[in-house]
Amino acid sequence: MRLTRATLWTRDLPVVGGPYVYAGATHDALTTLILRLETDTGLTGWGESCPLGATYAPAFPEGVAAALRRLTRALMGAKALPRPAAVRMEAEMMGQPQAKAAVDIALWDILGKATGQPVHALLGGALRDRIPSYFAVGLMDPDATAAKVAAVAAEGYTAVQLKIGSGDVARDAACLHAAHKALPKGVTLTADANRALTVGDAMHLSRLTADLPIALEQPCATRAELRDLAGKIAHPIYWDEATEDLALTMDALARGHAQGLGMKITRVGGISAMLAVRDMAAARRVPMSVDDHWGGDIIAAACVHLGATVAPDLFRGTWLAQPYVAHHYGATGPTISGGWIDVPQSPGLGVTPDPARLGQPTFEVTA
Ligand code: 0XW
Ligand code: MG
């Protein structure tokens, strides 16, 4: 089974009910890249990569598209399997995990279709038929924060991520107290600063919220700051943006610097890389989320298939952009209902985009 054609579409995803606001960025729309790979056996696989603008991770849409053009050219005629393709892509290009991820996801889709298995079965098997999502509440004032978290908890969400990093640590702390007070027992609360705090700010915030059972996600921007903060505050520190590749994630786990992970499947390079993170995190008993930056049905499916194989006691949930995305690429895609997501059971990813809905391709490469 060898690759014969690659087609890429570039699609704008307006933010429904937007803008999406977090520390350091406000988005009214995102740009996603949808990749279709075809084989000489007639199978088709779909991948996707959707940078969160150009400042959340070291990737941006135009760069991912350019990298995919070069990578797919190098893959024409190659075996349509994740490992041989990964080795070939490393020989072709250093880094660019967010581009390589789209290829990797499409190849797992093909492998599932070739074997008649849903991707989660190829990853060792789903542990349940539906998995919890979590809701990310944007930067607001304390009263609006309390109202929003109460509403999402009433919908059925079992975990809430509160965006902080407003520039006023006291206000961040007030929002966290308001959120904690508004949440029913059993709903977990994480404070995600998206790199906005200095080490001093994070220490100050931790003191102001010492009574709250929360975790601080990506409080500071750099790995050096996160390592400096470790041991200086009582709250667990979760790494998200800092996990820019597999090696850095492994190091953060091995050294005990990350007490939790907010993982993005395309940031580390796709399903294959995220599989390694899953098992390393489990070995260290570190909870993790299985998300992506943004994106539509294909990315959502990749996250849900992998998320379904994470042990429930170490699973923080799968965030999906789906509530903010107006259209499905095809008939359906994973959707959040009452804070939970049904795990697809058909072969591959279980998502079949309709090319007619995707517009003109950005490029097409053939063997
Ligand atoms: C909440 N998310 C998964 C959605 C946006 O991509 C940001 C990200 C996060 O955890 O910061
Ligand atoms: Mg985060």
Side-chain angles (χ1 to χ4, degrees):
M1 184 170 66
R2 293 188 176 273
L3 291 170
T4 54
R5 185 192 306 265
T7 310
L8 186 80
W9 288 267
T10 304
R11 289 264 301 172
D12 281 340
L13 298 179
V15 177
V16 172
Y20 184 78
V21 183
Y22 66 97
T26 296
H27 295 291
D28 290 305
L30 281 309
T31 301
T32 196
L33 301 154
I34 300 166
L35 177 69
R36 180 182 65 190
L37 297 180
E38 295 173 78
T39 72
D40 55 1
T41 59
L43 289 176
T44 298
W46 293 87
E48 183 178 5
S49 189
C50 185
L52 190 60
T55 56
Y56 179 81
F60 61 102
E62 298 81 359
V64 172
L68 280 170
R69 186 190 297 265
R70 181 166 172 162
L71 290 167
T72 52
R73 272 204 197 108
L75 288 172
M76 286 298 107
K79 283 184 183 174
L81 289 168
R83 277 305 295 146
V87 171
R88 182 74 191 83
M89 289 196 286
E90 285 312 302
E92 178 65 22
M93 186 178 290
M94 188 175 175
Q96 305 303 322
Q98 207 155 320
K100 293 171 180 173
V103 174
D104 183 77
I105 291 166
L107 290 168
W108 280 101
D109 190 21
I110 287 172
L111 187 54
K113 290 168 180 172
T115 56
Q117 294 294 322
V119 168
H120 54 72
L122 304 177
L123 304 179
L127 299 172
R128 39 189 173 171
D129 294 336
R130 65 180 198 141
I131 60 171
S133 183
Y134 67 86
F135 196 94
V137 174
L139 286 168
M140 292 187 244
D141 65 40
D143 289 346
T145 297
K148 186 63 179 173
V149 301
V152 300
E155 270 188 63
Y157 282 90
T158 57
V160 168
Q161 177 191 84
L162 184 61
K163 294 302 185 186
I164 59 169
S166 64
D168 176 347
V169 170
R171 177 185 157 176
D172 289 342
C175 287
L176 285 164
H177 277 103
H180 176 71
K181 191 174 174 196
L183 282 176
K185 266 198 175 320
V187 178
T188 60
L189 179 62
T190 301
D192 188 355
N194 290 109
R195 299 170 294 185
L197 305 179
T198 64
V199 171
D201 289 342
M203 291 170 69
H204 183 200
L205 178 78
S206 184
R207 281 194 298 273
L208 293 177
T209 58
D211 56 325
L212 298 184
I214 59 173
L216 293 191
E217 179 171 320
Q218 198 67 39
C220 305
T222 66
R223 284 177 286 276
E225 288 171 295
L226 294 177
R227 289 193 284 266
D228 184 20
L229 186 62
K232 290 191 170 75
I233 61 172
H235 291 109
I237 300 167
Y238 289 5
W239 284 32
D240 181 345
E241 291 91 325
T243 59
E244 286 181 14
D245 63 32
L246 212 42
L248 291 168
T249 306
M250 180 173 64
D251 188 63
L253 290 169
R255 296 171 190 271
H257 292 142
Q259 288 87 43
L261 296 172
M263 292 309 297
K264 307 303 182 270
I265 210 161
T266 59
R267 184 169 64 223
V268 288
I271 290 173
S272 302
M274 195 66 133
L275 198 51
V277 173
R278 179 198 70 184
D279 296 342
M280 289 190 295
R284 292 288 280 176
R285 306 273 311 134
V286 167
M288 67 182 284
S289 69
V290 179
D291 312 318
D292 207 69
H293 310 99
W294 207 267
D297 295 331
I298 302 161
I299 278 287
C303 292
V304 175
H305 277 272
L306 207 147
T309 68
V310 177
D313 64 327
L314 292 176
F315 187 58
R316 295 181 53 215
T318 281
W319 179 89
L320 297 181
Q322 173 258 320
Y324 300 95
V325 177
H327 305 295
H328 286 295
Y329 299 153
T332 61
T335 51
I336 302 169
S337 171
W340 290 75
I341 312 163
D342 287 338
V343 178
Q345 297 304 335
S346 47
L349 291 173
V351 170
T352 310
D354 173 1
R357 291 194 189 189
L358 302 179
Q360 277 303 313
T362 303
F363 71 69
E364 191 169 81
V365 167
T366 56

